[in-house]
Amino acid sequence: MKSLQALAQNGGGDNLILQTTIRLTVPFIQLFGLYVIVHGHYSPGGGFQGGVLLGAAFILIALGYDLPTSKRYFPVRTNAILANSGALIFAGIATLCALLGGYFLDYSILTRLLPIDPIEWRSLGIFLVEVGVGLGVMCIMLSLYWDMASGGQMEEGL
Amino acid sequence: MIWQLDLLILLMVVICAIATITIRDLLGAAIVFGAYSFLLCLLWAEMGAVDVAFTEATVGAGISTILFIAAIFRTTRRSKD
């Protein structure tokens, strides 16, 4: 394991087969993650699982290349903004339902904002909340990995 | 719900669980723990809990194994004390 560690630290881990495989599979993983989020309310999956899949795609880039490469594709600032806006979407929609006179997370009351069928609003509300959950989970998973792999320095790592 | 398949997967889950706590090498234990998570995911999918199986496959077998390996790379081979 010590030699593996030395290999990871002096950047000698560049592997053409690994990097090409990752470059080919990452778009499909991201597409599958989006599919899982969008179809979350009537099939297995949902915001959490889709967010984990989207985060795993960026973690794969960080594993196969190195930490600065994954930070170039997905900057730390964007990560912080998206993670917070994901939480804001979830809490914002839930609070909006309460402010409009319904219960917390009761989407059917949103029909006062946009007059479509309350039952359709329930389906749409779950979808909107799951987009927020997916965004938050994706960014938190990626920053968890960044912190874990670089010891909190966010500069050098696996 | 084929009980023979259930029993086979359950046996492999137990074997993987015992191997995880028996193996002295940290990296090997993390990999076997990933295999344990994936077999547990198979067991849940076979029992009909597809949503739980999906979560186990993404979080248990995917992210937590990667996080374990990332943590293990910050350690050294031999303990200092």
Side-chain angles (χ1 to χ4, degrees):
Chain A
M1 203 192 297
K2 195 153 196 179
S3 62
L4 272 176
Q5 227 169 11
L7 204 67
Q9 264 154 18
N10 59 34
D14 286 346
N15 189 331
L16 182 67
I17 298 173
L18 197 66
Q19 293 185 346
T20 311
T21 313
I22 285 172
R23 202 181 300 150
L24 287 177
T25 48
V26 157
F28 292 101
I29 296 174
Q30 286 176 328
L31 199 63
F32 184 57
L34 287 177
Y35 172 85
V36 168
I37 290 180
V38 170
H39 289 250
H41 45 296
Y42 44 78
S43 72
F48 184 74
Q49 288 94 328
V52 169
L53 277 170
L54 287 175
F58 286 107
I59 290 179
L60 259 184
I61 294 174
L63 271 176
Y65 295 79
D66 50 353
L67 208 97
T69 313
S70 81
K71 274 164 68 183
R72 209 176 65 232
Y73 282 114
F74 200 71
V76 180
R77 197 175 161 74
T78 316
N79 188 306
I81 291 171
L82 280 182
N84 287 313
S85 64
L88 187 71
I89 289 172
F90 181 86
I93 290 177
T95 316
L96 194 64
C97 300
L99 286 180
L100 284 174
Y103 294 111
F104 195 71
L105 282 172
D106 178 16
Y107 317 113
S108 62
I109 205 74
L110 289 173
T111 186
R112 290 185 189 170
L113 279 187
L114 189 69
I116 53 175
D117 196 36
I119 296 171
E120 276 180 32
W121 253 122
R122 283 187 199 278
S123 171
L124 196 64
I126 291 177
F127 168 68
L128 289 176
V129 160
E130 273 183 352
V131 168
V133 172
L135 272 180
V137 169
M138 172 182 80
C139 298
I140 295 303
M141 286 294 165
L142 186 57
S143 57
L144 257 181
Y145 173 76
W146 278 343
D147 277 334
M148 205 79 131
S150 63
Q153 304 296 314
M154 305 282 270
E155 281 158 8
E156 283 299 315
L158 274 181
Chain B
M1 286 299 230
I2 312 163
W3 71 266
Q4 290 94 339
L5 199 61
D6 263 355
L7 202 64
L8 184 70
I9 296 173
L10 189 63
L11 200 68
M12 283 158 78
V13 165
V14 171
I15 289 171
C16 277
I18 293 172
T20 307
I21 54 174
T22 317
I23 290 176
R24 304 281 295 167
D25 186 44
L26 285 177
L27 192 60
I31 298 298
V32 177
F33 190 64
Y36 162 84
S37 293
F38 196 75
L39 285 168
L40 209 55
C41 155
L42 275 184
L43 188 63
W44 272 325
E46 208 270 332
M47 283 176 155
V50 188
D51 213 354
V52 184
F54 202 167
T55 313
E56 182 73 35
T58 51
V59 180
I63 295 289
S64 78
T65 308
I66 292 174
L67 288 184
F68 275 132
I69 288 171
I72 286 166
F73 268 103
R74 311 297 298 178
T75 64
T76 49
R77 176 93 181 169
R78 302 269 171 221
S79 68
K80 298 254 175 7
D81 39 74

